[in-house]
Structure formats: structure tokens, C-alpha cells
């Protein structure tokens, strides 16, 4: 969803209201308002907040009053802090119990709800992909900046202990020089999902799960690609893929010369994994992107750190709370999400043009 210049400036004007200054968090727990009561928020993030050290749920935004009331009762949210999509920002602005929002809506709604939340004087933790275009990402970053609010993209893997151990091994020479990385993430999608609607999703599996492979390559190498080459297809003509790709494969070239290959799919379950091949060994995470049961091998030895759902979400909520309290930049700020979008836009362009695309 692209925001009109008018609504964007109106929202920013709201952010400057002096009354909002009274809402700075103290040493109490950071209060999150959950925007969108779907699978990720109800099944993962909210249980994560419950397990967190520094956070609690203090508001809900939903279009389904019954569901919202049920969740409010479960998490002790007062009925007065249940809001509708239409006016949540206006009403939430004067609620001092809400420090931050968690945006868990279809991808094309992330920009609007981030900008409106920042305008209401709240920090924003936004689900991946950050938005459906670089232009939207820029608007989100600008809105949070002018409101003086923090923006974090919910890249839970960047705080996850196995991923961090793999990253340390890749970057410290434990497997020698990193020669190649490959990664895959795909699942068989059911018909009727908003993920198959281009307007809501922005794209197909690349935007949804391929982004984890892209992140794995960037996290393990510590570099951003300078060139991509990609192809896509639709093999199942059963109506699901009228708007988005079914399968997509792509390669990336990095400044050091490193080459990586990735694939993503809505037609098959690939498990979700990555491998970093070095001149003296290999790092393998499989599964690498699930909420639980991750497995790490370095140079053929089991190195898995035990970590169970919903700890990835508890950690994410706590990290953002710490950034808010200590006025620190989040590890995965808006710029991180924007970089992924820039690369994914180049990958889609490569698919359309059937040739390599250079990234400046
Ligand atoms: P979902 O379909 O389960 O939930 C979407 C929510 O948005 C629902 O509450 C729905 O009612 C609401 N909504 C409001 N307007 C809507 C509309 N026009 N169409 C459809 N739904 C609408 O989706 P989800 O799986 O929870 O995904 C939500 C976001 O979270 C997506 O951006 C997704 O990429 C992200 N996500 C992240 C992870 C992760 O591990 N970080 C995992 C899953 C999803």
C-alpha cells in the first residue's frame, strides 16, 4: 500500500503533538499493542511476550471483536485498550500503557500501520518483509525518524543462538575461507491465502520465506550482494499462482567475489536450511528458520544450542524493549529491511528481464 503524500504528512504532524512526550517508558515493563490477531501474533509472538523478561501486552488492534476479547482476557488487556483498524492510532495515542506496537498484518499493510503508529507516538516492531517496496520502506523509516520513535524489523533469526554461533564460525575462519553459500526455504501453500494475492503480499515465496535465505547469505558473509540473477516459474496450474510466482531460484555475487545460490517455493516443502562451504569445512543449519528444533553442525560436529519456542519471540520482544529503554538502535532497524527489499526488487527484475541485475 503506498501512502499519499497528504496522509503521510498529516500523520507526521500528529507525531509532533507535545502530549505524546508524557509516554516515555520508565523501568516498568514495555507495553506492546498487537496489530493484527493472526497466526504469528496469537500463536508465537504473544506467547513469546508472556515468556519475556521486560514486556507485556497492553493493547490489541483487531477487526474481530470476539477474538480480541478472548485474547484480552488471556493476556489481561483492559477492554478499553482494544481498538479497531479505523481509529486505533487516534485512540492509542493517549494510552500511556502502550509504548510500542507489533505489526503482524499482510505485507502491504505494514507501511500504513507503521506510519500511523509512529504518528501516534509509539515505537514500531514490524514483521518481515518490512513492506512491499523500497519506496514504502523509506516512508516507514522517515515516519519513525520524524516522530522520534524506534523501528525494528522482526528478523528473529538475527537474535537466535544457533544462527549467531554459525555466524561466528563463518566469520572467524573456523571453516577457512567462505567459498559458497546455499540456502532454501519453501512450503506447499494452501489455496485462499492472502500470500497468493499480489496486492496484499507484494510477491510470492521470495517475499515470504525466500527472504530467510537472503538473510542467511547476508548474515553469514557480512556482505551485501552486488549482482543477482534469478528465474521463476509456475508449474501447478491449479489457480493458486495466478498472481505470484510458485518457484524462484537465484544466485548472488558479493563484493569479496563470494557466490551464493538460493531457492524458494510455494509448491514444495524444502525444509528451510542453509550451508556455508569453506575451504576447510562446512557449516550446516537444518532446519535453520523454524521456531523450534533448529540443528547446527560445524565441520561435521553437532553444535546445536537448545532453544525452544517461543524463545525466539521472547528474545525479539526483549531486545526491542531494551532498545527503547536504553535509547539504543535495534539490531535489525528499518534500514536492514530496506536493504532486503532493494535486493528482492532486483531479484524480481532479474526474473522479468531474464538476465543478471547489478546492485549499485
Ligand atoms: P495471518 O493471515 O495468520 O494473519 C494476518 C492478520 O491480519 C489477521 O489477523 C487478519 O485478520 C489481519 N488482516 C487485516 N486485514 C487483512 C486483509 N485485508 N487480509 C488478510 N488479513 C487481514 O498471517 P500471518 O502468518 O500471521 O502473517 C502476518 C505477517 O507476519 C506477515 O507479514 C508475515 O510475513 C509475517 N510472518 C512472520 C513470521 C516470522 O517468523 N517472523 C512468520 C509468519 C508470518
Amino acid at each position: 500500500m503506498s501512502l499519499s503524500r497528504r496522509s503521510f504528512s498529516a500523520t507526521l504532524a500528529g507525531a509532533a503533538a507535545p502530549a505524546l512526550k508524557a509516554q516515555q517508558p520508565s523501568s516498568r515493563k514495555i507495553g506492546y499493542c498487537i496489530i493484527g490477531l493472526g497466526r504469528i501474533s496469537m500463536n508465537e509472538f504473544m506467547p513469546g511476550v508472556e515468556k519475556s523478561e521486560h514486556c507485556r501486552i497492553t493493547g490489541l488492534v483487531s477487526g474481530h471483536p470476539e477474538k480480541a476479547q478472548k485474547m484480552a482476557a488471556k493476556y489481561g488487556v483492559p477492554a478499553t485498550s482494544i481498538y479497531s483498524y479505523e481509529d486505533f492510532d487516534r485512540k492509542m495515542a493517549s494510552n500511556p500503557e502502550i509504548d510500542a506496537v507489533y505489526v503482524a498484518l499482510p505485507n502491504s499493510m505494514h507501511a500504513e500501520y507503521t506510519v500511523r503508529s509512529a504518528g501516534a507516538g509509539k515505537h514500531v516492531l514490524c514483521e518481515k518483509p518490512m513492506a512491499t517496496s523500497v519506496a514504502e520502506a523509506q516512508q516507514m523509516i522517515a515516519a519513525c525518524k520524524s516522530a522520534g520513535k524506534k523501528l525494528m524489523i522482526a528478523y528473529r533469526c538475527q537474535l537466535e543462538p544457533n544462527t549467531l554461533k554459525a555466524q561466528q564460525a563463518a566469520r572467524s575462519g573456523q571453516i577457512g575461507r567462505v567459498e559458497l553459500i546455499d540456502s532454501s526455504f519453501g512450503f506447499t501453500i494452501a489455496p485462499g491465502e492472502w500470500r497468493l494475492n499480489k496486492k496484499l503480499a507484494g510477491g510470492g515465496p521470495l517475499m515470504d520465506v525466500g527472504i530467510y535465505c537472503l538473510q542467511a547469505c547476508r548474515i553469514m558473509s557480512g556482505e551485501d550482494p552486488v549482482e543477482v540473477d534469478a528465474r521463476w516459474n509456475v508449474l501447478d496450474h491449479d489457480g493458486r499462482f495466478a498472481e505470484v510466482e510458485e518457484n524462484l531460484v537465484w544466485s548472488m555475487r558479493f563484493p569479496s567475489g563470494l557466490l551464493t545460490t538460493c531457492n524458494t517455493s510455494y509448491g514444495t516443502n524444502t525444509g528451510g536450511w542453509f550451508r556455508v562451504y569453506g575451504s576447510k569445512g562446512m557449516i550446516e543449519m537444518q532446519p535453520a528458520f523454524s521456531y523450534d528444533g533448529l540443528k547446527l553442525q560445524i565441520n561435521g560436529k553437532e553444535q546445536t544450542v537448545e532453544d525452544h519456542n517461543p524463545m525466539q519471540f521472547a528474545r525479539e520482544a526483549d531486545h526491542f524493549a531494551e532498545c527503547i529503554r536504553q535509547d539504543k538502535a535495534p539490531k535489525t532497524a528499518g534500514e536492514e529491511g530496506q536493504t532486503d527489499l532493494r535486493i528482492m526488487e532486483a531479484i524480481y527484475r532479474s526474473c522479468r528481464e531474464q538476465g543478471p541485475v547489478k546492485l549499485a
Side-chain angles (χ1 to χ4, degrees):
M1 177 176 300
S2 76
L3 298 164
S4 72
R5 189 179 288 264
R6 201 168 154 198
S7 69
F8 182 59
S9 351
T11 311
L12 292 185
L20 302 175
K21 293 230 165 2
Q23 294 165 28
Q24 291 309 307
S26 61
S27 58
R28 65 174 165 71
K29 285 192 172 188
I30 292 296
Y32 277 100
C33 178
I34 310 296
I35 307 185
L37 298 179
R39 283 160 289 188
I40 190 71
S41 58
M42 292 201 301
N43 302 343
E44 322 298 339
F45 187 76
M46 292 166 80
V49 170
E50 212 172 20
K51 281 265 186 302
S52 73
E53 277 182 54
H54 307 296
C55 315
R56 64 194 178 115
I57 296 162
T58 52
L60 302 172
V61 177
S62 172
H64 301 92
E66 262 180 42
K67 186 163 60 174
Q69 279 156 19
K70 209 167 136 196
M71 285 295 116
K74 185 168 176 191
Y75 290 97
V77 176
T80 48
S81 302
I82 301 176
Y83 306 111
S84 71
Y85 289 114
E86 288 72 35
D87 61 3
F88 79 97
D89 40 346
R90 190 171 54 77
K91 292 192 171 154
M92 181 175 77
S94 58
N95 186 342
E97 299 293 310
I98 296 174
D99 302 294
V101 301
Y102 169 64
V103 179
L105 295 166
N107 308 339
S108 68
M109 298 172 76
H110 292 183
E112 179 190 346
Y113 285 81
T114 294
V115 172
R116 286 173 65 188
S117 300
K122 307 302 176 185
H123 303 282
V124 180
L125 172 59
C126 178
E127 263 306 339
K128 48 54 62 181
M130 174 178 185
T132 56
S133 68
V134 170
E136 284 178 348
Q138 285 167 344
Q139 289 185 330
M140 294 160 79
I141 293 169
C144 291
K145 207 175 199 173
S146 32
K149 296 292 144 187
K150 297 194 185 296
L151 172 59
M152 171 169 157
I153 311 307
Y155 287 122
R156 57 188 167 76
C157 297
Q158 289 214 29
L159 299 165
E160 190 282 315
N162 288 287
T163 313
L164 294 176
K165 203 168 172 183
Q167 180 189 43
Q168 161 71 14
R171 296 211 202 163
S172 65
Q174 230 177 301
I175 57 165
R177 183 190 171 92
V178 174
E179 305 278 349
L180 294 166
I181 300 176
D182 61 17
S183 180
S184 170
F185 198 5
F187 68 96
T188 310
I189 198 161
E193 270 270 355
W194 61 259
R195 286 172 164 80
L196 296 167
N197 175 325
K198 178 127 192 277
K199 209 165 164 217
L200 287 171
L206 175 65
M207 297 288 280
D208 190 24
V209 287
I211 191 171
Y212 287 88
C213 307
L214 169 56
Q215 276 272 302
C217 294
R218 293 184 54 225
I219 297 168
M220 293 303 133
S221 67
E223 296 184 75
D224 291 341
V226 289
E227 188 177 34
V228 298
D229 199 359
R231 297 294 183 275
W232 56 9
N233 71 9
V234 173
L235 293 180
D236 291 320
H237 298 282
D238 53 16
R240 285 177 298 166
F241 305 109
E243 297 187 15
V244 301
E245 77 275 9
E246 180 177 10
N247 303 292
L248 198 156
V249 299
W250 78 99
S251 61
M252 295 186 280
R253 187 169 59 80
F254 289 75
S256 64
L258 171 71
L259 295 173
T260 71
T261 50
C262 302
N263 65 64
T264 185
S265 177
Y266 273 164
T268 182
N269 182 356
T270 74
W273 53 265
F274 68 80
R275 292 193 199 102
V276 185
Y277 304 92
S279 53
K280 297 185 185 148
M282 183 175 83
I283 299 162
E284 181 171 34
M285 267 189 79
Q286 181 163 22
F289 312 122
S290 323
Y291 309 140
D292 207 330
L294 303 186
K295 293 256 178 285
L296 171 65
Q297 283 211 341
I298 301 174
N299 294 333
K301 287 203 192 96
E302 180 75 29
Q303 299 276 329
T304 303
V305 184
E306 282 286 317
D307 189 53
H308 296 291
N309 201 25
M311 286 319 294
Q312 292 187 34
F313 298 91
R315 210 174 280 120
E316 179 176 274
D318 271 339
H319 174 74
F320 197 43
E322 191 186 319
C323 293
I324 293 168
R325 277 185 179 168
Q326 299 176 11
D327 194 19
K328 289 195 316 197
K331 186 170 184 196
T332 52
E335 288 75 7
E336 178 75 0
Q338 187 184 330
T339 298
D340 280 350
L341 281 167
R342 192 169 59 86
I343 300 165
M344 291 193 294
E345 282 188 354
I347 291 171
Y348 278 131
R349 193 176 136 206
S350 173
C351 289
R352 286 194 304 272
E353 296 178 359
Q354 299 190 32
V357 170
K358 286 201 165 43
L359 286 140

